[in-house]
Amino acid sequence: MAGTLFVVATPIGNLGDMVPRGIDILQTVDLIAAEDTRRSSQLLKQFNILTELISYHDHSSLGRIEQVVAVLERGDNVALISDAGTPLISDPGYRLVRRALDIGCTVSPVPGPCAAMAALSVAGLPSDRFVFEGFLPSRAGQRQKALMALAKEPRTLIFYEAPHRIQDTVADLCEIFGDDREAVLARELTKTYETIIAGPLADLYAQINSDANQQRGEIVLIVHGFSGAVLSDEDAEQERVLKILLVDLSVKQAANLAARITGGSKNKLYQQALMLSQTR
Ligand code: SAM
């Protein structure tokens, strides 16, 4: 019978968060597959874990994956860990878990720390429904495109972000989601300099801009979901046209012209133009 692959969470900063069952399993399995053996050996030393370590990441050669699979196939147990937190959550492990399931192994979780869940649990933003987006693209154009696709997402959004990109990302969020959207920056959770700041995106941006410390360490960014009405394609097109026309024309002129361009109702467009002109 094939062995079990245990997916074991490890601390995201504070070693006191290592769960006892995790220690027990890491001590008793036959092999530990770790993202970075050098980093993990420090953690294992702390807990007197002497189990053999092997490096594993999702770009590992097929040979390396098969090496781990062979251990499972002969009935031995393996634990998978990443550098910090829960494996597979913006971390390696997917290919190994998939392969282990395909060969009929039991894959069993040992839950524990996860930066996204830790941040969400203290953010004070709706947590009944949320989406985990992981890291946004690092290139500005691609990041902005990804954010545009998320601008009307009604669920709370969770992002991981690198400290050197946080300023640009929050600037893009202000631009695309609007300055007033509520958000939370959760930094260095469970560590000495744990900081959680909450407020409208524009306030967060001002704090990040004026305090270089807010651009350091490990960061989870949580953003309130879109709470306005979602427009139909037709309404969205009419609004787009109106917004362009209102730059140079009066409300009445913009509404008349928009009605001719989009085929929409003059009356409805007049009301819409009036509302847009008041919120500008
Ligand atoms: N698997 C991990 C987990 O369960 O959270 C995440 C790994 S991902 C490669 C690393 C990112 O997680 C960091 O860049 C940061 O965005 C977030 N992160 C990890 N530890 C954190 C902490 N202590 N405080 C805030 N964010 C953290």
Side-chain angles (χ1 to χ4, degrees):
M1 202 179 116
T4 296
L5 174 65
F6 292 97
V7 179
V8 182
T10 58
I12 56 169
N14 190 322
L15 287 183
D17 294 336
M18 184 70 207
V19 297
R21 192 164 75 91
I23 300 173
D24 195 39
I25 282 178
L26 293 177
Q27 279 169 341
T28 52
V29 288
D30 301 285
L31 181 71
I32 299 173
E35 182 181 3
D36 179 337
T37 50
R38 264 204 357 224
R39 278 190 70 164
S40 290
S41 55
Q42 291 165 17
L43 175 86
L44 301 188
K45 213 166 141 197
Q46 289 284 331
F47 295 103
N48 201 22
I49 295 162
L50 304 170
T51 310
E52 185 191 344
L53 259 183
I54 190 174
S55 79
Y56 169 82
H57 46 83
D58 282 333
H59 307 294
S60 290
S61 64
L62 208 57
R64 173 50 54 94
I65 297 173
E66 291 313 310
Q67 204 178 334
V68 179
V69 167
V71 174
L72 290 163
E73 272 176 331
R74 68 171 183 246
D76 284 350
N77 297 327
V78 175
L80 170 70
I81 56 174
S82 61
D83 286 353
T86 303
L88 280 85
I89 308 301
S90 289
D91 261 345
Y94 167 71
R95 280 179 72 201
L96 182 58
V97 167
R98 189 61 262 163
R99 183 82 177 91
L101 289 170
D102 287 346
I103 61 161
C105 280
T106 301
V107 180
S108 181
V110 183
C114 172
M117 295 305 105
L120 182 66
S121 70
V122 294
L125 294 178
S127 56
D128 49 343
R129 299 185 70 216
F130 56 85
V131 277
F132 174 66
E133 282 292 321
F135 289 98
L136 284 160
S138 53
R139 292 231 185 111
Q142 285 174 9
R143 180 173 62 236
Q144 286 153 7
K145 213 166 145 198
L147 288 177
M148 278 177 209
L150 292 168
K152 299 278 160 74
E153 168 58 59
R155 293 167 292 183
T156 297
L157 297 133
I158 308 176
F159 301 100
Y160 283 164
E161 193 48 288
H164 61 278
R165 277 198 293 268
I166 192 65
Q167 207 174 4
D168 289 345
T169 295
V170 176
D172 287 345
L173 278 163
C174 287
E175 182 71 31
I176 296 162
F177 284 30
D179 286 344
D180 297 334
R181 186 88 73 98
E182 290 293 323
V184 173
L185 186 91
R187 223 170 43 79
E188 295 287 273
L189 294 173
T190 77
K191 304 188 209 177
T192 311
Y193 295 107
E194 175 177 287
T195 313
I196 298 160
I197 55 176
L201 281 166
D203 289 8
L204 248 53
Y205 182 74
Q207 289 195 56
I208 293 166
N209 226 4
S210 62
D211 177 4
N213 284 329
Q214 304 307 335
Q215 297 166 42
R216 296 206 173 102
E218 298 197 278
I219 298 170
V220 182
L221 187 61
I222 310 212
V223 185
H224 199 296
F226 178 71
S227 47
V230 179
L231 298 178
S232 68
D233 286 352
E234 190 187 334
D235 286 346
E237 176 60 6
Q238 288 174 354
E239 185 172 309
R240 189 185 72 80
V241 171
L242 274 178
K243 278 183 176 164
I244 297 169
L245 297 175
L246 280 168
V247 174
D248 295 313
L249 302 177
S250 69
V251 167
K252 195 170 169 201
Q253 287 170 325
N256 284 343
L257 201 49
R260 278 168 47 204
I261 294 169
T262 65
S265 138
K266 250 192 222 174
N267 248 340
K268 184 182 151 204
L269 281 159
Y270 180 79
Q271 294 306 327
Q272 209 176 340
L274 204 58
M275 204 182 66
L276 285 172
S277 69
Q278 283 161 357
T279 53
R280 268 159 14 127

